[in-house]
Structure formats: structure tokens, C-alpha cells
């Protein structure tokens, strides 16, 4: 449980242990300092305007910034800056942006799934967008968590070069910069399984050896490239005659652009509201926001200290 506690003599005696670190962060700026009790451990929150640092009992820092209305704007959790606003997104140490969402489909897909997980990565320096989608059932209601096991198999990959500096696509052939691939998956008693074997080994080989002896897997997963957009706005391919990519080839394509081939666990936990550091900072910010309205009252005078490094 988080509590803001009075800066008693015992608490003040611990402040010299963090002064060196605070000076490294803020220099000679005047700061507000709050003592934060997290269960039975004492930490501190330093606040200079809207720039904040939380130091836990081991002096490990979490940096974050607030907006004009004291709402959380960014939390710095290596290797990401977690940015809050109309939507939550992340910026990593390589200046790539990450977006995660879970959306209800207008109609179920071919396998009956009603939802689609979308993980977008954008390289602003190279102007390349990569979107990976995954299948998961969508339940109507206020909260739909993303389950990790539904993010193991990519359903579709959309890579766009010159993403911001080009017009959107319309009916007709897709340009080379659009690398769109959709999953085609079949079990060994489906016609598509045989067609996959024929695509990769040829008709004569399939007739001679059989599909299963050639593919040697109970379920095939391949990816086919979209070639054009039809008059209804649907992306179309040349399956079963198109060149098919295996999962490892799709991963190689994604890695070529230096994007993640899977959704990092950190981003899923953040989306699901399970990240402990974010929950901690959110609770601290709310407690401080409520307290700051009462700091002018004499009985609360020791709930916040004002510190400033003086010239030596």
C-alpha cells in the first residue's frame, strides 16, 4: 500500500543518502520532496516543475513527467519511454515507436476469430511502418486482455516503406514498397495442405511421395504476398500459385528492417494493466495530486519539503 508520510526527523535523517543522486539529476534546481511509504519500505519522490523522480528504498530511480493538469505524460522504463495521451504508445532507445491495440472485427475471419491484435512499430528515421496482427477471440465488454499464447503465431505482416511520405493505397496493383503477407494454414486432411505441397514440390512429387511425406508436419503455416486491391477494397493474392514464405522467412524479412518479430512481454503487460512500475507511479501521482491541495494547511506542513542546493 502506498502512503505519503510526514517528513519526521527520522525520515529527514535519510535524505542525505539521496542528495548526490538528486544533484546529478536536477543540479541546483529547487525541488519538492515527498516521503513515500511503500508497504514497510521508505522511498522518495522529487519533483521539479513537472519533471519527477521516484527513488525506492534502494535508491533505484524511475523518471517520469507530468502534463499541465498533473496527469502522467511519460514514464521512462528502460528501454522505453511510455507515453500517455489519447492512446498509450512507447518510444524505444532506437527512436522507434510501438503501438499495441486489440480490435473487434466487423465479421469473424476465416477461422472464426472475432478479434485482431495489432502490434505496430514505426521507424521515424527511415519512415517504415511494420504491423503484425494476431488472432484472438474478442469478448464484448469493458476489458479485453491480450493473452500471450495468442501472440505466438503471426496472422499477417504489413510493412510499408515511405509510410508518412506517400499516398494511401487505392484499387489496383500494390507498389513494391508495400510488403503485405497473410497467413495460410492447413491441417493434413485439407485440400490446402495438398496445394501447399504442390506449390513447393510440384505435382509429380506429390503424386509420387504424398503431401505428408514431403511436408512432414501435421499443420502447415505459410505466408502469401498481397498483390493488388480489388474494387471492394480487399487485398488479394495469387494463392495457391504464388510463392509462399515459411514462418522463418517472414521473421527474416521483419528482422531486415530491425523490427521485433514478436510483441515484447513488457508491452503486453503494459496493455493489460499489469506493469507494476506503471501502477506504482500512477498511484503515487494520484496521492500527491490530492495532497498538494492541502499542503497550505499548517497540519500538513511536514508532508512536503522544499530543497535547494546552495553554493558551496
Amino acid at each position: 500500500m502506498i502512503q505519503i508520510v510526514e517528513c519526521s526527523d527520522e525520515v529527514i535523517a535519510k535524505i542525505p543518502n539521496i542528495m548526490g543522486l538528486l544533484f546529478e539529476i536536477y543540479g541546483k534546481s529547487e525541488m519538492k520532496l515527498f516521503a513515500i511509504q511503500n508497504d514497510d519500505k521508505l522511498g522518495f519522490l522529487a519533483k521539479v516543475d513537472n519533471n519527477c523522480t521516484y527513488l525506492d528504498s534502494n535508491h533505484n530511480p524511475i523518471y517520469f513527467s507530468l502534463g499541465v493538469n498533473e496527469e502522467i505524460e511519460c514514464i521512462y522504463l528502460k528501454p522505453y519511454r511510455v507515453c500517455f495521451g489519447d492512446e498509450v504508445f512507447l518510444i524505444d532507445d532506437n527512436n522507434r515507436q510501438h503501438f499495441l491495440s486489440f480490435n473487434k472485427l466487423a465479421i469473424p475471419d476465416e477461422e472464426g476469430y472475432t478479434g485482431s491484435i495489432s502490434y505496430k512499430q514505426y521507424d521515424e528515421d527511415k519512415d517504415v511502418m511494420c504491423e503484425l496482427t494476431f488472432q484472438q477471440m474478442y469478448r464484448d465488454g469493458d476489458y479485453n486482455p491480450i493473452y500471450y499464447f495468442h501472440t505466438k503465431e503471426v496472422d499477417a505482416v504489413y510493412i510499408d516503406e515511405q509510410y508518412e511520405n506517400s499516398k494511401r493505397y487505392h484499387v489496383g496493383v500494390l507498389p513494391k514498397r508495400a510488403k503485405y503477407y497473410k497467413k495460410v494454414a492447413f491441417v493434413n486432411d485439407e485440400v490446402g495442405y495438398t496445394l501447399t505441397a504442390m506449390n513447393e514440390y510440384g505435382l509429380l512429387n506429390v503424386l509420387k511421395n504424398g503431401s505428408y511425406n514431403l511436408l512432414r508436419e501435421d499443420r502447415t503455416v505459410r505466408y502469401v504476398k498481397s498483390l493488388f486491391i480489388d474494387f471492394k477494397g480487399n487485398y488479394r493474392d495469387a494463392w495457391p500459385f504464388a510463392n509462399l514464405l515459411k514462418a522463418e522467412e517472414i521473421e527474416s524479412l521483419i528482422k531486415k528492417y530491425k523490427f521485433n518479430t514478436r510483441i515484447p512481454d513488457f508491452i503486453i503487460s503494459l496493455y493489460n494493466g499489469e506493469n507494476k512500475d506503471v501502477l506504482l507511479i500512477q498511484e503515487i501521482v494520484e496521492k500527491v495530486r490530492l495532497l498538494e491541495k492541502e499542503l497550505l494547511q499548517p497540519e500538513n506542513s511536514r508532508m512536503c519539503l522544499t530543497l535547494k542546493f546552495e553554493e558551496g
Side-chain angles (χ1 to χ4, degrees):
M1 182 178 176
I2 301 297
Q3 287 183 307
I4 302 175
V5 298
E6 180 181 292
C7 293
S8 62
D9 292 343
E10 183 181 357
V11 169
I12 291 173
K14 298 180 183 295
I15 293 177
N17 297 327
I18 61 171
M19 294 298 281
L21 179 55
L22 292 177
F23 182 75
E24 286 182 17
I25 299 169
Y26 296 115
K28 297 177 182 178
S29 299
E30 184 174 286
M31 71 187 72
K32 292 181 178 179
L33 193 68
F34 299 87
I36 309 294
Q37 191 82 34
N38 186 0
D39 293 330
D40 59 344
K41 296 179 179 179
L42 182 69
F44 291 94
L45 171 68
K47 193 166 179 281
V48 176
D49 297 324
N50 287 335
N51 299 310
C52 306
T53 303
Y54 170 69
L55 300 172
D56 67 14
S57 58
N58 294 317
H59 306 164
N60 297 311
I62 297 178
Y63 307 105
F64 62 98
S65 60
L66 304 176
V68 292
N69 296 315
E70 296 291 301
E71 76 282 4
I72 298 175
E73 203 167 64
C74 278
I75 302 178
Y76 301 85
L77 299 171
K78 282 287 188 180
Y80 301 105
R81 277 185 289 154
V82 183
C83 304
F84 298 83
D86 293 336
E87 63 177 328
V88 177
F89 68 97
L90 301 91
I91 302 174
D92 66 26
D93 286 343
N94 295 310
N95 203 36
R96 295 190 186 94
Q97 300 170 22
H98 302 255
F99 305 82
L100 182 60
S101 62
F102 181 31
N103 309 297
K104 184 178 182 179
L105 297 175
I107 57 173
D109 67 16
E110 294 176 356
E111 297 180 65
Y113 285 94
T114 56
S116 177
I117 300 165
S118 168
Y119 172 45
K120 294 181 180 178
Q121 304 168 78
Y122 178 57
D123 186 333
E124 186 174 15
D125 297 332
K126 297 180 180 177
D127 193 21
V128 179
M129 172 71 82
C130 174
E131 180 182 10
L132 310 180
T133 68
F134 306 83
Q135 296 167 299
Q136 183 179 307
M137 298 301 288
Y138 187 95
R139 297 181 317 209
D140 289 324
D142 294 333
Y143 177 58
N144 266 277
I146 290 174
Y147 296 106
Y148 292 86
F149 63 86
H150 281 296
T151 67
K152 302 302 181 185
E153 185 175 276
V154 176
D155 184 54
V157 176
Y158 306 102
I159 296 176
D160 270 312
E161 298 174 354
Q162 304 168 35
Y163 179 76
E164 288 291 345
N165 296 319
S166 300
K167 295 179 180 178
R168 301 299 84 165
Y169 306 133
H170 300 289
V171 174
V173 177
L174 289 169
K176 289 184 179 180
R177 65 183 180 85
K179 297 172 174 63
Y180 287 12
Y181 289 86
K182 188 74 173 71
K183 180 184 73 178
V184 287
F186 303 99
V187 294
N188 64 7
D189 62 350
E190 293 182 306
V191 173
Y193 187 95
T194 302
L195 292 174
T196 300
M198 289 170 56
N199 180 289
E200 296 181 4
Y201 294 97
L203 175 60
L204 292 179
N205 258 331
V206 171
L207 293 175
K208 181 180 178 181
N209 299 295
S211 301
Y212 185 81
N213 289 330
L214 292 170
L215 296 175
R216 297 186 177 277
E217 53 190 353
D218 293 326
R219 177 175 176 267
T220 65
V221 176
R222 301 292 188 269
Y223 295 86
V224 59
K225 187 176 183 181
S226 297
L227 300 176
F228 66 96
I229 301 176
D230 66 18
F231 288 101
K232 294 183 179 180
N234 299 312
Y235 290 87
R236 296 297 185 183
D237 53 61
W239 160 259
F241 307 106
N243 180 46
L244 301 179
L245 297 186
K246 296 180 180 180
E248 53 266 31
E249 293 175 300
I250 281 291
E251 287 193 0
S252 294
L253 175 65
I254 297 168
K255 288 178 180 178
K256 173 185 169 185
Y257 294 91
K258 302 188 184 303
F259 288 123
N260 295 328
T261 59
R262 293 289 183 269
I263 309 174
D265 289 352
F266 174 87
I267 297 179
I268 295 178
S269 74
L270 180 68
Y271 176 89
N272 287 341
E274 299 168 344
N275 186 275
K276 293 181 179 179
D277 288 329
V278 171
L279 293 173
L280 171 67
I281 296 302
Q282 287 174 332
E283 187 173 356
I284 289 173
V285 167
E286 180 60 18
K287 293 276 176 80
V288 170
R289 186 183 66 81
L290 294 173
L291 174 64
E292 284 186 322
K293 296 179 180 179
E294 303 173 1
L295 287 178
L296 295 178
Q297 299 175 13
E299 63 270 22
N300 294 321
S301 61
R302 300 195 72 182
M303 299 300 290
C304 174
L305 296 180
T306 300
L307 300 181
K308 187 174 183 180
F309 292 93
E310 297 293 342
E311 296 287 347

